[in-house]
């Protein structure tokens, strides 16, 4: 059994692309946890999509063994994501730790997510050690970055560790700092068992694997356990640690991090944040757990082939086991059939989930336009929370509409300040603060989330040539002059193409979508009207012209009345056909219209 005084649990937190995964690789190499034959770059990023994009999506845990002096230490390292959409992953990871390495790129300095992750660590009462990474780069300026950390965050930087995740410089000193500065875990092996569920995922060989942190007592193989909040009982089949492959052990004692399997079938049986205790000697109170994740962006996911609906449902259940911050419920659309309304923590989260469904479960999907939750007060006094444009009430019944606003923090070089201020103002933003840190500017803006979820981050990166960074938190709900723009194809409403927008932007976005649909909807033997409406008023219209057969081709001469008779007969036939004809909108038209919606916000 491991003595808790020789255990250190810590996470690496940083802004995206500041080198967390590369530093993790060097720590793993230095401790000799993975053989040189099995070692590869970004070893903790197990998903193909993580390796391709160079980002961490899921927090990954690994157990390192390191000898310092005459003592053998166990270091449980958690590599966390850096993007704002995965802040919930970071907050869960920090709950399993006593300390956090705050990694800052010595060439880029403090960025938006650096601050956000620091506040998360401070809220969790963790010991924070600032570390400067990439000090080997020609553009690195350690002294300038140290002063930024001191001025913006307030951490002492006189003896800060300077490392290079690429070359391995400073890794030995960093490990000594981790052991000397991070506290050992609290808790006793003699107390009643208290184990926190941090994460869960599905393994095709071992079934549902539950990542746990033991706070009190000892967790043993074969033990009968109870989940305190779910009120379910199981028997532990296997216990193990991640190195990073699963390695089976007989027990986990107070302070250790590992995984268990216990014939758990679905995510609903093992809530992340629940407390495991021993049936024979149960704990009186559960551990605090986590705040429940609240989705902020919603969209519809539909299979392109209606026969794959059951496969999509099963895939969503399996994916939710691996990503508890993702929510879904069934919905139907007249145009797209049966599908699911899904909630995400942001637009990148949406994109990643869609790509994982298509890759890991071999699905072909149609995604409707993203939307946020609106609070709609009706004239009868009822308050509705609406995230699906199809549920939008009649305009005559609406008393008041409120939309979510965010508090955004933007860091950028002062060269790009003018363009970024213009972008924020175009998005209906309200400036709260503007301050300089050397040649960098920190902007704090209040912005409507509806404007941000579409293309704000992409626009920010392109305007600043990638140098600006962006982080946000939900602030409150404010009154908004919002309208639902409905789309009519051949006088029939298509809910999947409708969207909620600020009244001032409604006409431009509606016109662009109508033009795009006109190009993509195939021509029929009758004219097709594409209309965008607000209430009963048409605000934009395009027409797909009819395919026309030359019915007068057989007339080589003679009286003109003969041709007129044939044309009149054709005209009546087209009119009758338009009344009974159906317009099938191809999937690429849906996708292109939604991409236009994203790009033209």
């Amino acid at each position: 059994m491991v003595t808790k005084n020789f255990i250190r649990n810590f996470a690496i937190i940083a802004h995206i692309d500041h080198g967390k995964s590369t530093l993790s690789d060097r720590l793993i190499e230095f401790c000799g946890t993975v053989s040189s034959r099995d070692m590869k770059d970004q070893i903790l990023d197990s998903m193909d999509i993580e390796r391709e994009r160079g980002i961490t999506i899921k927090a990954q845990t690994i157990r390192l063994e390191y000898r310092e002096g005459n003592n053998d230490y166990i270091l449980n390292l958690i590599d966390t994501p850096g993007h704002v959409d995965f802040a919930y992953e970071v907050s869960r990871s920090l709950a399993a730790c006593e300390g956090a390495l705050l990694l800052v790129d010595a060439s880029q300095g403090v960025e938006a997510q650096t601050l956000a992750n620091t506040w998360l660590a401070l809220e969790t009462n963790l010991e924070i050690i600032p570390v400067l990474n990439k000090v080997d780069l020609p553009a690195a300026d350690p002294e300038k970055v140290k002063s930024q950390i001191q001025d913006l965050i307030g951490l002492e930087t006189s003896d800060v560790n300077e490392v290079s995740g690429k070359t391995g410089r400073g890794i030995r000193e960093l490990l000594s700092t981790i052991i000397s500065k991070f506290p050992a875990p609290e808790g006793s092996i003699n107390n009643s068992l208290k184990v926190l569920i941090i994460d869960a995922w599905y393994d095709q060989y071992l079934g549902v694997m539950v990542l746990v942190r033991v706070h009190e007592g000892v967790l043993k193989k074969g033990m009968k356990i109870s989940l305190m909040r779910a009120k379910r009982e199981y028997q532990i089949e296997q216990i193990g640690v991640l190195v990073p492959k699963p390695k089976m052990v007989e027990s986990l004692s107070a302070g250790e991090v590992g995984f268990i399997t216990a014939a758990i079938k679905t995510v609903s049986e093992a809530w992340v944040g629940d407390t495991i205790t021993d049936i024979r000697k149960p704990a009186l109170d559960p551990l605090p757990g986590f705040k429940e994740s609240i989705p902020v962006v919603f969209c519809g996911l539909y299979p392109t082939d209606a026969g794959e609906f059951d496969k999509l449902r099963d895939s969503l259940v399996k994916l939710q086991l691996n990503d508890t911050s993702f929510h879904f419920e069934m919905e139907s659309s007249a145009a797209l059939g049966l599908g699911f309304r899904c909630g995400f923590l942001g637009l990148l989260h949406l994109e990643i989930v869609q790509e994982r469904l298509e890759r890991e479960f071999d699905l072909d999907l149609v995604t409707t336009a993203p939307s946020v939750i609106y609070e709609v007060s009706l004239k009868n006094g009822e308050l509705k929370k609406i995230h699906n444009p199809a549920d939008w009430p009649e305009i005559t019944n609406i008393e008041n509409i409120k939309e979510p606003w965010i508090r955004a923090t933007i860091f950028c070089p002062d060269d790009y300040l003018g363009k970024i201020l213009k972008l924020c103002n175009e998005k209906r933003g309200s400036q709260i603060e503007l301050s300089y840190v050397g040649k960098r500017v920190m902007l704090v803006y209040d912005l409507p989330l509806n404007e941000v979820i579409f293309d704000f981050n992409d626009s920010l990166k392109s305007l600043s040539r990638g140098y600006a960074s962006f982080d946000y938190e939900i602030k409150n709900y404010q009154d908004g002059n919002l309208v639902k723009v409905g789309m009519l194809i051949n006088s029939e409403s298509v809910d999947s193409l409708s969207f909620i927008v600020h009244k001032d932007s409604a006409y431009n976005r509606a016109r662009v979508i109508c033009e795009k649909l006109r190009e993509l909807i195939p021509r029929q033997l009758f004219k097709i009207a594409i209309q965008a409406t607000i209430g009963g008023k048409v605000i934009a219209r395009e027409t797909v012209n009819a395919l026309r057969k030359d019915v007068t081709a057989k007339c080589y001469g003679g009286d003109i009345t003969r041709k007129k008779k044939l044309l009149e007969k054709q005209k009546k036939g087209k009119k009758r056909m338009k009344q009974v004809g159906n317009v099938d909108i191809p999937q690429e038209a849906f996708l292109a219209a939604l991409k236009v919606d994203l790009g033209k916000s």
Side-chain angles (χ1 to χ4, degrees):
M1 193 175 293
V2 183
T3 307
K4 67 174 186 177
N5 292 336
F6 299 112
I7 298 173
R8 299 291 184 270
N9 298 318
F10 68 99
I12 303 180
I13 55 175
H15 186 79
I16 191 168
D17 201 32
H18 277 211
K20 295 179 300 301
S21 297
T22 311
L23 180 64
S24 300
D25 288 349
R26 298 294 82 77
L27 290 168
I28 292 166
E29 264 183 354
F30 195 86
C31 293
T33 307
V34 178
S35 66
S36 56
R37 183 182 63 184
D38 295 330
M39 191 65 195
K40 58 184 178 181
D41 288 344
Q42 292 172 257
I43 191 167
L44 294 183
D45 291 342
S46 53
M47 287 187 275
D48 290 341
I49 190 169
E50 290 180 311
R51 306 180 72 79
E52 286 169 20
R53 290 174 176 247
I55 60 173
T56 301
I57 295 164
K58 285 289 294 176
Q60 298 291 341
T61 305
I62 185 168
R63 177 176 170 134
L64 310 176
E65 294 180 1
Y66 179 65
R67 187 170 184 83
E68 174 89 343
N70 296 321
N71 299 316
D72 291 320
Y73 288 88
I74 286 176
L75 311 176
N76 289 308
L77 156 67
I78 302 179
D79 177 25
T80 64
H83 195 279
V84 59
D85 282 11
F86 304 110
Y88 184 65
E89 277 289 315
V90 180
S91 67
R92 287 213 325 263
S93 304
L94 295 178
C97 302
E98 280 75 42
L101 294 179
L102 178 66
L103 204 60
V104 183
D105 188 328
S107 61
Q108 295 185 54
V110 173
E111 309 243 18
Q113 201 62 25
T114 313
L115 281 179
N117 284 333
T118 305
W119 307 146
L120 277 176
L122 289 170
E123 282 174 23
T124 323
N125 296 319
L126 298 190
E127 181 71 33
I128 300 173
I129 298 176
V131 180
L132 294 190
N133 192 23
K134 305 187 184 181
V135 291
D136 57 317
L137 293 181
D141 190 347
E143 294 308 315
K144 177 181 157 189
V145 176
K146 282 180 193 177
S147 65
Q148 283 184 9
I149 294 170
Q150 208 150 0
D151 295 344
L152 285 169
I153 302 173
L155 294 174
E156 181 56 48
T157 56
S158 56
D159 59 346
V160 70
N161 285 81
E162 297 183 13
V163 303
S164 167
K166 187 177 180 182
T167 64
R169 170 181 161 184
I171 297 299
R172 182 188 295 277
E173 293 79 5
L174 180 60
L175 284 164
S176 297
T177 305
I178 288 167
I179 288 167
S180 62
K181 289 196 175 180
F182 284 151
E186 296 178 354
S188 169
I189 59 172
N190 301 316
N191 293 341
S192 297
L193 183 67
K194 275 190 182 181
V195 180
L196 180 67
I197 297 179
I198 306 167
D199 202 356
W201 65 95
Y202 186 81
D203 183 278
Q204 59 179 335
Y205 302 111
L206 299 171
V208 175
M209 297 174 69
V210 182
L211 185 67
V212 296
R213 156 72 195 270
V214 183
H215 281 263
E216 305 278 358
V218 181
L219 195 63
K220 295 178 181 174
K221 190 176 176 181
M223 178 184 276
K224 290 190 174 179
I225 56 166
S226 166
L227 273 59
M228 295 182 76
R229 285 189 177 87
K231 294 184 170 55
R232 292 174 180 270
E233 296 180 356
Y234 300 96
Q235 183 166 345
I236 294 177
E237 295 173 347
Q238 291 174 310
I239 296 179
V241 293
L242 298 166
V243 290
K245 292 178 180 175
K247 175 187 172 186
M248 299 308 164
V249 296
E250 287 300 312
S251 66
L252 292 172
S253 59
E256 289 192 89
V257 176
F259 69 86
I260 62 167
T261 63
I264 298 171
K265 298 288 189 291
T266 64
V267 69
S268 58
E269 295 180 46
W271 297 344
V272 170
D274 203 346
T275 303
I276 295 173
T277 191
D278 187 353
I279 288 177
R280 291 174 303 173
K281 188 186 172 186
L284 297 176
D285 302 309
L287 293 162
F290 310 115
K291 285 190 294 187
E292 198 167 332
S293 66
I294 300 170
V296 295
V297 176
F298 292 84
C299 79
L301 288 179
Y302 294 85
T304 51
D305 178 1
E308 289 196 326
F309 172 76
D310 289 336
K311 184 180 176 183
L312 173 60
R313 181 179 54 207
D314 295 341
S315 303
L316 289 173
V317 169
K318 285 181 182 175
L319 188 65
Q320 193 184 47
L321 179 63
N322 187 244
D323 184 357
T324 51
S325 55
F326 159 64
H327 300 253
F328 66 91
E329 60 187 37
M330 202 178 115
E331 73 169 1
S332 63
S333 159
L336 296 173
L338 289 172
F340 293 90
R341 192 78 187 164
C342 304
F344 308 89
L345 299 181
L347 213 58
L348 178 66
H349 189 205
L350 184 162
E351 200 179 316
I352 294 295
V353 167
Q354 184 187 357
E355 200 163 333
R356 286 185 68 187
L357 286 167
E358 289 174 349
R359 285 187 183 200
E360 296 174 22
F361 302 100
D362 195 26
L363 289 162
D364 199 5
L365 300 172
V366 174
T367 312
T368 64
S371 66
V372 299
I373 297 180
Y374 302 97
E375 290 184 351
V376 181
S377 301
L378 303 180
K379 288 182 177 175
N380 64 6
E382 189 182 350
L383 177 68
K384 283 191 169 183
K385 290 195 172 187
I386 294 173
H387 54 71
N388 189 346
D391 300 331
W392 200 257
E394 286 292 326
I395 197 166
T396 52
N397 297 332
I398 296 174
E399 180 70 36
N400 184 39
I401 303 167
K402 289 190 173 185
E403 61 178 330
W405 279 62
I406 61 167
R407 176 66 54 89
T409 306
I410 300 166
F411 276 82
C412 68
D414 59 1
D415 300 355
Y416 308 107
L417 179 61
K419 292 178 181 178
I420 290 170
L421 287 172
K422 185 182 175 187
L423 173 68
C424 292
N425 292 331
E426 283 174 357
K427 300 293 186 184
R428 301 189 280 130
S430 168
Q431 186 178 311
I432 304 301
E433 186 185 334
L434 191 157
S435 56
Y436 278 82
V437 185
K439 289 190 175 181
R440 289 171 66 79
V441 182
M442 183 175 83
L443 274 173
V444 179
Y445 254 86
D446 282 352
L447 290 157
L449 183 60
N450 184 27
E451 301 283 354
V452 171
I453 61 167
F454 288 108
D455 67 340
F456 182 81
N457 204 31
D458 292 341
S459 301
L460 189 67
K461 290 292 183 189
S462 60
L463 288 175
S464 65
R465 298 184 182 178
Y467 286 111
S469 63
F470 166 64
D471 176 66
Y472 68 85
E473 60 180 3
I474 301 295
K475 183 172 174 275
N476 57 19
Y477 276 77
Q478 296 181 22
D479 292 344
N481 188 11
L482 302 166
V483 290
K484 174 191 172 182
V485 177
M487 299 300 296
L488 302 178
I489 308 291
N490 202 23
S491 301
E492 287 189 17
S493 176
V494 183
D495 286 338
S496 308
L497 290 175
S498 61
F499 54 93
I500 313 297
V501 68
H502 194 267
K503 197 170 185 178
D504 295 346
S505 312
Y507 169 71
N508 287 335
R509 200 181 294 179
R511 182 174 52 78
V512 170
I513 290 179
C514 286
E515 288 172 358
K516 197 70 182 174
L517 286 172
R518 185 195 65 197
E519 294 170 13
L520 292 164
I521 291 177
R523 292 169 70 186
Q524 308 285 335
L525 291 171
F526 52 88
K527 284 184 180 179
I528 302 169
I530 303 166
Q531 297 168 302
T533 64
I534 296 176
K537 182 182 176 183
V538 176
I539 61 167
R541 175 187 168 123
E542 293 290 337
T543 304
V544 180
N545 288 326
L547 287 168
R548 181 165 175 168
K549 180 182 177 183
D550 188 0
V551 291
T552 62
K554 59 189 176 185
C555 301
Y556 292 102
D559 194 352
I560 188 68
T561 55
R562 192 173 170 208
K563 290 185 178 180
K564 282 183 177 178
K565 182 182 174 183
L566 289 168
L567 288 169
E568 197 62 34
K569 185 179 178 185
Q570 183 189 41
K571 186 177 176 183
K572 287 179 181 175
K574 283 184 181 292
K575 188 176 179 182
R576 190 167 59 250
M577 194 186 297
K578 186 174 181 179
Q579 289 171 348
V580 297
N582 287 322
V583 180
D584 288 328
I585 305 173
Q587 301 294 356
E588 57 267 25
F590 270 108
L591 293 170
L594 298 176
K595 282 176 184 171
V596 164
D597 197 16
L598 293 174
K600 295 287 179 181
S601 60

